[in-house]
Amino acid sequence: MKIALVLGTRPEIIKLAPIIKKIGSKNCSVIFTGQHYDRKMGLGFMRDLDLPKPDYSLNITKSNPQLQISEIIGKLSKILIKDDFDSVIVQGDTNTVLAAGICSLKSNIPISHVESGLRSNDWRMPEEHNRIAIDHLSEFLFAPTKNTKFNLISEKVHGQIFVTGNTVIDAINMYSKISKKKSKLFIPSTEFILSTLHRAENVDDRKTLSRILKGLINSNEKIIFPIHPRTKKRLHEFGFFNKLDQNQNIQMMDSVGYFEMLELMKNCSFIVTDSGGIQEEATSPIIRKKVLVVRKTTDRPESVENQLAEIVGLKEKNITNSIKKTIKNPKLHSKKTPFGKGDASEKILNILKKSFRYS
């Protein structure tokens, strides 16, 4: 069995790390697109997670989605032509995933999609376009939950569907034991709320971003706010950065590494975010923190159904009131994560081994 594993962003690196560790270099070629041009989100991040250097780096130069996708297809096709791959593994819903899917399909290589079947039903999200397309292109669909399997069945995808759990839980189990030692961040001993924002539909819209920030500020609670490069750019562009920087309750910092984020999640009171990955990570028994989701919808409804997360929307008053309410009682009653036991990567590889000759 020979697998091409294509990744390009920080979430993909985290969620595919357990598979890379388990499959071994003999059976896998890692192809890094470089969709995130920030070093911390690229090759340096892979080194931090003790992952091998990619076999191929595409060095993508375009940031425009259309040009980025076409550039990945052009460069990736030359690699897929050279090697006789049994399958191409992709994860999630990024431009890298869509580009790799199209390229693999036209190269007659079966696509294996890790974390398939997620749906927000929010067409404003570029990720929604990508995930729907890749699910209908894939031969092997690794759904994290029964709910995501149902989404795939209802859409009548042609590939085989397997419920495996989410590899993000595998990653937490793998790295949480060393995160405190590896983290370079000082974690305050006082209680704090962790907040992150990065989704295009939130941070690229001035009015929406303004409402979210006012909701955070008006809570008058201590908030640690690691800033995604995209968000930082918009804060400066919209003239919000200085106001946040001068606020005594909000501590801004540059985007942090995986170990630092794990420690922040472990030690915070609860989380306010628009991140889908954090909604999953926070359910891990190792973290177990409530999440307030600043979005209109979520593609992780399992967290909401299990009362591990709450959709608070985008109105500043609702965000402030939800923070004030949660600060009084941030404890969770459910101890079980809906995203599996942390053996998703093993299940995925076992399925692929049975499907292809394994040597």
Side-chain angles (χ1 to χ4, degrees):
M1 179 178 76
K2 188 169 185 183
I3 300 294
L5 197 151
V6 185
L7 44 75
T9 67
R10 167 178 160 152
E12 291 167 280
I13 295 170
I14 293 170
K15 292 183 177 184
L16 289 174
I19 293 178
I20 295 172
K21 292 270 192 179
K22 281 180 168 43
I23 194 171
S25 58
K26 181 182 177 182
N27 299 294
C28 176
S29 289
V30 176
I31 303 170
F32 180 65
T33 68
Q35 181 178 327
H36 275 173
Y37 43 84
D38 187 287
R39 180 184 174 279
K40 291 180 181 179
M41 295 186 176
L43 295 174
F45 189 69
M46 295 184 75
R47 285 195 294 271
D48 290 343
L49 297 188
D50 195 29
L51 296 175
K53 184 179 179 181
D55 299 278
Y56 302 95
S57 291
L58 302 189
N59 299 315
I60 297 304
T61 60
K62 309 297 184 184
S63 58
N64 175 279
Q66 299 96 312
L67 298 177
Q68 191 176 75
I69 289 169
S70 64
E71 186 179 5
I72 293 172
I73 291 174
K75 291 183 176 181
L76 180 59
S77 62
K78 297 175 183 178
I79 298 171
L80 297 186
I81 288 171
K82 289 194 303 182
D83 287 297
D84 187 22
F85 292 110
D86 292 302
S87 184
V88 172
I89 294 180
V90 293
Q91 188 282 325
D93 48 29
T94 65
N95 291 338
T96 287
V97 170
L98 179 58
I102 294 171
C103 190
S104 302
L105 180 70
K106 297 305 179 182
S107 301
N108 295 315
I109 302 174
I111 303 160
S112 299
H113 184 207
V114 177
E115 198 180 79
S116 62
L118 274 67
R119 298 291 183 269
S120 67
N121 299 309
D122 185 348
W123 203 244
R124 297 173 308 143
M125 297 174 59
E127 296 86 354
E128 187 79 349
H129 317 159
N130 294 346
R131 61 170 70 116
I132 290 174
I134 192 65
D135 281 339
H136 285 270
L137 297 177
S138 297
E139 297 294 334
F140 298 89
L141 298 109
F142 300 114
T145 66
K146 291 181 180 178
N147 182 68
T148 51
K149 177 183 178 180
F150 174 80
N151 290 339
L152 295 170
I153 292 173
S154 66
E155 291 181 11
K156 299 180 180 180
V157 298
H158 81 278
Q160 300 179 69
I161 305 168
F162 306 90
V163 178
T164 60
N166 197 303
T167 56
V168 77
I169 305 299
D170 302 36
I172 290 176
N173 291 349
M174 181 185 299
Y175 290 112
S176 63
K177 296 176 183 177
I178 61 172
S179 61
K180 187 173 183 179
K181 182 179 178 181
K182 291 280 189 179
S183 173
K184 300 174 183 177
L185 190 66
F186 170 76
I187 306 294
S189 56
T190 55
E191 290 188 352
F192 66 92
I193 299 164
L194 174 63
S195 183
T196 74
L197 296 170
H198 77 280
R199 304 204 78 89
E201 64 271 21
N202 279 350
V203 303
D204 288 354
D205 185 281
R206 192 181 192 282
K207 290 182 179 179
T208 299
L209 182 57
S210 176
R211 286 195 294 265
I212 295 172
L213 295 177
K214 286 178 181 177
L216 297 176
I217 291 170
N218 292 342
S219 72
N220 293 316
E221 298 293 340
K222 182 174 177 57
I223 296 172
I224 292 183
F225 186 15
I227 305 178
H228 189 281
R230 179 192 198 112
T231 309
K232 187 174 184 179
K233 181 180 179 181
R234 295 294 180 252
L235 289 174
H236 283 291
E237 181 181 326
F238 297 148
F240 298 152
F241 188 88
N242 288 340
K243 185 175 181 180
L244 276 182
D245 194 37
Q246 294 167 7
N247 188 282
Q248 295 182 347
N249 290 321
I250 296 181
Q251 179 183 341
M252 291 193 297
M253 60 179 66
D254 287 335
S255 60
V256 297
Y258 183 51
F259 298 123
E260 287 76 16
M261 183 58 74
L262 282 179
E263 288 303 300
L264 286 170
M265 287 193 289
K266 284 182 192 176
N267 290 279
C268 70
S269 298
F270 60 94
I271 304 167
V272 181
T273 187
D274 60 7
S275 165
I278 288 178
Q279 289 177 61
E280 299 161 347
E281 290 170 322
T283 70
S284 163
I286 294 170
I287 296 174
R288 291 195 67 246
K289 296 295 164 62
K290 184 166 185 178
V291 176
L292 301 184
V293 184
V294 283
R295 285 162 57 179
K296 292 181 178 180
T297 61
T298 180
D299 31 27
R300 277 79 172 180
E302 299 88 349
S303 293
V304 177
E305 291 164 3
N306 286 271
Q307 298 183 324
L308 302 169
E310 176 186 345
I311 301 173
V312 300
L314 300 171
K315 294 181 179 179
E316 61 184 87
K317 186 176 181 180
N318 290 351
I319 295 170
T320 299
N321 290 343
S322 296
I323 291 173
K324 288 182 174 295
K325 178 183 174 183
T326 306
I327 200 73
K328 295 177 181 177
N329 184 21
K331 292 184 178 180
L332 295 174
H333 299 291
S334 175
K335 295 183 179 181
K336 186 178 180 181
T337 174
F339 299 108
K341 300 177 181 178
D343 57 356
S345 54
E346 184 176 347
K347 288 179 178 178
I348 290 167
L349 289 176
N350 284 339
I351 291 165
L352 292 177
K353 288 175 187 178
K354 291 178 181 177
S355 302
F356 303 108
R357 179 174 55 85
Y358 186 71
S359 57

